[in-house]
Amino acid sequence: MGDFNQNIDVSEIYEPPKELSANAHVKSMAEYEAMYKASIEDPESFWGEMAKEFYWQTPFEKVGPEFNFDRTKGPVSVKWFLGGKTNLSYNCLDRIIQQGHGSRVAIYHECNDVEDQHASFTYDDLLKKVCRLANALKAEGVKKGDRVSIYLPMVVELPAAMLACARIGAVHSVVFGGFSSESLAGRILDAQSSMVITADGVMRGAKPVQLKAITDKACEITQKDGFQVRRVICVGRLKGTSFEPQTKYDWVEGRDVWYKELVQSQSETCDCEWMDSEDPLFMLYTSGSTGKPKGVLHTTGGYMLGSFATTKYTFDYHPEDVYFCTADCGWITGHSYVTYGPMLNAATQVLFEGVPTFPEVDRFWKVCEKYKVSIFYTAPTAIRSLMKSGDQPVTRNDLSSLRLLGTVGEPINPEAWRWYHRVVGGSRCAIADTYWQTETGSHLITPLVGAMTCKPGSASLPFFGVETAILDENGKELSGECSGRLVLKRPVPSMMRTVHGDHQRFEETYFSQFNGYYFTGDGCKRDKDGFYWLTGRMDDVINVSGHRIGTAEVESALVAHAKVAEAAVVGFPHEVKGEGIWCCVTLNEGEAYDDSLKAELKKQVREVIGAFAAPDEIHWAPGLPKTRSGKIMRRVLRKLALPDYDTQDLGDTSTLADPAVVDVLTETAQRYE
Ligand code: 6R9
């Protein structure tokens, strides 16, 4: 989506709100610049000083980073806080309690149903909960380094399970509750986790989601591959509620156990496993341009610092704030900005189980009013979809507590930015458009809103320690105002260390295109003021409602259908989702091209990946546009997928093996409209 934000106005400027600025951690550009300079010139002191905030059971000997981004000089590696031993769960809970904040609310749980009992948990409560589960996991034989898969809805047991794993040194692998049984199975298998923590089910809006049944099916699938899930721990989310009849699942004796029964006899204290700075903390699967999703592996010390520092500075977090991030813990945003970052800052936050449109389109704003939320963090796709309902659902709620708004996941179009600013933020709040990735663990480019002016559509300037460059296609660094590929010249503390079980894939994915640099996969412009404007992925990854989907994954799901011979998938600009999924499918000889098959194929993708990856458009093609060497010419498809494409402007198609294919595709595409 290289042409996103084409009509941006780089001179539209919003000054930092005065009151916010006066009390901000970073109050002026001069302060930001000085801190940024220090972070680049002397990372040892900059990060070393900041890391003193934490409890280190064994102090680190060296801040680092010790790293190699140059493949000609040996394996790519990243290390921070060498020699240090610590524990994330201890720093998120015990340390906060020791500081005297045990009775502070850590989590307000806002349930899907407005009428439900919305419990709140103090730091004291949460520590007990985490310890009980940690002890239970230990009693089940889970040891340091073992992987535990977590497939839970947004209930307090989700962050608690993450922290329980962290406490005993188990590596958590959270799988978003919208993924299908096949996706879950693939992730369980790849991680070889013999333990899965799930729930009987959950209501998402008015719809039940059968988490346990999906988990059961996933376990069956792994069994076919010879892998046995030993234990399924089941949180009784709907058990005993009026929604219970809507859940259907089997109970496998000897394997399945209720969460409540498992933890009830456990002690409320649990010693921590002291983890080396570079010991794994978690893995999280994300999509790339090729093959199956990869397990992005994050480690302990650097990730702790990155999630802490960005929460503090980007959100200008202060103890009186009430923080609400709408992301699910199944994505990286929920890891860094629900579980870890806020708790490391002793924050009080809202954990939201529901959806923005249930029971009505003003649910987010109702929640903000109810808890007097001051910091609100969501995705542009949510803003765009809520914007369609007009201002009234927002303005009928009292949002005067809000002071800072954040966005994440995809570029925000200036129109949505302005609406967010004017209507949600009452023209009074600052907006932090935070650019980062699963791989980087925490914000890379984001305004520090007390210090910087904001420009709608720009993620502003690099966070501390982030040394960026923009490269041309030959890997030459561009300077000043320019447009190209965004890379990092050195590692941020919270950066991924490897792909689980496949270090070579890590190197090839991120370091092979431009040796010596970490390539983000994103296109980027820099304007005359040095502000960054992210323009979208430059690889075969599409961003649908802020969810990263590899076109190859959708293609392989389609091809798995018995009637499909070949499939090619590209993204197209979508008003609400950011990008939509456009597919071009060739059937096997003799198969009939009809609409019922289209519906079947959409269902197929839902089942193989998850509902959020369902194609928006499927087009039939007698053959795919390929070069003579057999490569699919995606740039032609991308043009065809544009709503207002021009048949005369498909670029150079002279290298196509069969140019007639394009004519047929053009026709079918037109017929579809
Ligand atoms: C945190 C997260 C990462 C990809 C990233 C980029 C896009 C995220 C963005 C943004 C423009 C922003 N992206 N935030 N693009 N402006 N503020 O979303 O992680 O799911 O790994 O996606 O999302 O393309 O490379 P992840």
Side-chain angles (χ1 to χ4, degrees):
M1 280 195 64
D3 52 2
F4 196 92
N5 277 347
Q6 218 170 31
N7 47 3
I8 49 176
D9 175 3
V10 298
S11 56
E12 182 181 355
I13 277 172
Y14 291 73
E15 294 297 333
K18 282 208 173 58
E19 201 183 324
L20 192 150
S21 213
N23 300 308
H25 292 303
V26 184
K27 297 179 175 55
S28 66
M29 264 316 268
E31 238 177 272
Y32 159 75
E33 276 161 4
M35 284 177 83
Y36 179 78
K37 192 160 174 264
S39 74
I40 297 294
E41 286 176 1
D42 187 5
E44 189 79 28
S45 318
F46 186 86
W47 295 118
E49 202 50 45
M50 211 174 278
K52 283 190 188 153
E53 184 80 25
F54 305 127
Y55 175 77
W56 295 87
Q57 206 256 349
T58 307
F60 46 88
E61 285 150 20
K62 188 171 176 238
V63 170
E66 246 178 34
F67 76 104
N68 174 39
F69 276 6
D70 182 347
R71 292 179 84 201
T72 63
K73 294 196 177 128
V76 173
S77 70
V78 174
K79 290 191 180 110
W80 284 88
F81 301 107
L82 288 103
K85 277 189 188 296
T86 184
N87 183 289
L88 253 296
S89 159
Y90 189 90
N91 277 290
C92 287
L93 301 168
D94 310 57
R95 182 182 62 101
I96 304 300
I97 293 167
Q98 282 158 25
Q99 288 172 358
H101 306 311
S103 57
R104 182 181 290 180
V105 171
I107 290 177
Y108 289 115
H109 188 229
E110 175 71 13
C111 304
N112 177 67
D113 201 309
V114 187
E115 305 296 321
D116 215 332
Q117 276 193 346
H118 310 275
S120 56
F121 302 85
T122 63
Y123 277 89
D124 282 334
D125 299 334
L126 201 58
L127 175 62
K128 287 179 194 156
K129 213 170 170 58
V130 167
C131 286
R132 278 174 184 268
L133 180 60
N135 284 323
L137 292 176
K138 275 210 283 199
E140 287 290 330
V142 177
K143 288 188 285 299
K144 178 179 172 183
D146 289 352
R147 272 83 53 207
V148 173
S149 293
I150 303 177
Y151 186 63
L152 281 173
M154 286 291 277
V155 288
V156 68
E157 285 79 7
L158 175 45
M162 295 162 80
L163 290 165
C165 289
R167 196 160 189 95
I168 62 171
V171 181
H172 59 72
S173 165
V174 184
V175 180
F176 170 58
F179 276 111
S180 67
S181 50
E182 282 199 35
S183 294
L184 174 59
R187 285 156 172 77
I188 292 172
L189 263 178
D190 186 78
Q192 299 275 294
S193 18
S194 56
M195 173 124 1
V196 182
I197 307 177
T198 188
D200 48 356
V202 71
M203 296 302 292
R204 202 167 278 150
K207 222 178 68 196
V209 184
Q210 307 286 351
L211 294 166
K212 175 68 167 65
I214 296 170
T215 304
D216 290 345
K217 201 160 162 219
C219 293
E220 269 171 42
I221 299 171
T222 67
Q223 220 164 3
K224 281 191 211 128
D225 275 284
F227 184 79
Q228 189 77 38
V229 172
R230 227 171 11 88
R231 260 282 178 262
V232 172
I233 302 174
C234 187
V235 173
R237 173 65 187 96
L238 299 183
K239 200 174 180 232
T241 73
S242 58
F243 298 107
E244 186 171 1
Q246 303 202 32
T247 54
K248 288 189 194 69
Y249 50 85
D250 296 325
W251 198 256
V252 180
E253 283 310 323
R255 187 198 69 184
D256 298 350
V257 57
W258 288 107
Y259 178 99
K260 215 170 164 181
E261 285 169 20
L262 192 75
V263 300
Q264 70 189 5
S265 58
Q266 297 295 339
S267 156
E268 288 179 345
T269 60
C270 172
D271 288 342
C272 291
E273 183 77 37
W274 297 109
M275 306 294 283
D276 193 273
S277 287
E278 286 303 334
D279 277 337
L281 173 68
F282 69 84
M283 47 204 274
L284 182 60
Y285 287 84
T286 193
S287 296
S289 42
T290 54
K292 54 183 181 115
K294 25 182 194 306
V296 166
L297 189 97
H298 283 285
T299 58
T300 302
Y303 178 82
M304 177 161 73
L305 187 60
S307 55
F308 164 79
T310 46
T311 304
K312 174 173 172 180
Y313 290 104
T314 302
F315 300 125
D316 187 43
Y317 180 78
H318 285 79
E320 55 282 4
D321 278 313
V322 178
Y323 169 92
F324 176 19
C325 166
T326 68
D328 192 287
C329 286
W331 306 109
I332 190 68
T333 306
H335 281 63
S336 304
Y337 302 109
V338 175
T339 303
Y340 293 111
M343 295 207 203
L344 288 166
N345 281 282
T348 294
Q349 69 174 316
V350 180
L351 187 79
F352 180 46
E353 187 185 44
V355 294
T357 49
F358 181 83
E360 287 182 58
V361 290
D362 68 348
R363 188 66 190 275
F364 278 170
W365 324 125
K366 281 234 149 20
V367 174
C368 287
E369 177 181 289
K370 176 174 171 186
Y371 297 101
K372 298 197 167 33
V373 169
S374 56
I375 303 170
F376 177 73
Y377 192 30
T378 196
T381 183
I383 300 167
R384 284 193 299 265
S385 80
L386 296 174
M387 209 171 128
K388 289 185 129 184
S389 313
D391 300 2
Q392 214 261 335
V394 187
T395 52
R396 69 178 178 227
N397 294 286
D398 176 5
L399 298 183
S400 57
S401 56
L402 288 174
R403 67 181 192 93
L404 198 154
L405 306 172
T407 75
V408 57
E410 50 177 318
I412 180 163
N413 46 316
E415 200 193 353
W417 195 103
R418 286 184 213 112
W419 184 82
Y420 197 31
H421 181 261
R422 180 176 57 81
V423 182
V424 179
S427 301
R428 163 192 89 248
C429 303
I431 298 187
D433 172 1
T434 62
Y435 164 78
W436 59 296
Q437 311 177 296
T438 303
E439 291 87 340
T440 66
S442 62
H443 303 153
L444 284 184
I445 301 181
T446 174
L448 298 185
V449 293
M452 290 168 199
T453 51
C454 283
K455 303 186 184 189
S458 166
S460 301
L461 297 168
F463 189 75
F464 306 134
V466 179
E467 194 183 1
T468 54
I470 297 180
L471 306 182
D472 70 10
E473 67 264 35
N474 303 315
K476 191 170 132 306
E477 282 189 32
L478 301 169
S479 58
E481 226 179 313
C482 61
S483 174
R485 289 140 193 81
L486 183 69
V487 297
L488 297 185
K489 298 175 78 165
R490 62 166 96 184
V492 291
S494 62
M495 186 181 153
M496 74 185 287
R497 304 301 197 247
T498 190
V499 169
H500 173 72
D502 199 348
H503 196 69
Q504 196 181 339
R505 192 166 172 207
F506 170 63
E507 295 195 351
E508 278 165 10
T509 309
Y510 305 103
F511 299 92
S512 65
Q513 230 153 322
F514 306 110
N515 192 46
Y517 300 97
Y518 164 83
F519 180 35
T520 59
D522 284 304
C524 185
K525 290 180 192 173
R526 189 165 46 207
D527 71 18
K528 60 181 184 346
D529 301 321
F531 273 50
Y532 289 74
W533 302 76
L534 278 303
T535 52
R537 302 285 310 188
M538 301 196 82
D539 52 11
D540 293 321
V541 170
I542 44 187
N543 192 327
V544 181
S545 301
H547 299 154
R548 247 167 94 165
I549 300 170
T551 50
E553 281 173 74
V554 182
E555 286 163 6
S556 88
L558 290 167
V559 173
H561 192 284
K563 293 184 180 171
V564 174
E566 273 192 304
V569 172
V570 294
F572 70 97
H574 188 286
E575 204 189 329
V576 173
K577 299 188 199 177
E579 275 186 287
I581 303 179
W582 192 93
C583 314
C584 192
V585 173
T586 306
L587 299 181
N588 289 322
E589 280 291 323
E591 297 296 352
Y593 291 81
D594 59 31
D595 280 353
S596 71
L597 184 56
K598 278 189 185 171
E600 220 177 283
L601 291 180
K602 287 186 183 179
K603 187 162 159 263
Q604 163 100 2
V605 179
R606 284 170 180 267
E607 278 169 12
V608 175
I609 305 175
F612 62 87
D616 294 277
E617 291 195 17
I618 294 179
H619 296 270
W620 302 129
L624 299 177
K626 286 188 191 163
T627 60
R628 285 183 202 106
S629 60
K631 274 186 96 171
I632 295 173
M633 225 190 238
R634 284 171 189 284
R635 79 180 153 73
V636 171
L637 291 173
R638 270 189 217 112
K639 290 225 161 138
L640 282 174
L642 289 174
D644 52 354
Y645 75 93
D646 179 353
T647 44
Q648 304 307 311
D649 180 33
L650 291 177
D652 181 9
T653 52
S654 62
T655 54
L656 279 175
D658 177 10
V661 164
V662 172
D663 297 335
V664 180
L665 271 178
T666 328
E667 249 175 62
T668 53
Q670 269 163 350
R671 247 203 327 259
Y672 194 86
E673 282 155 9

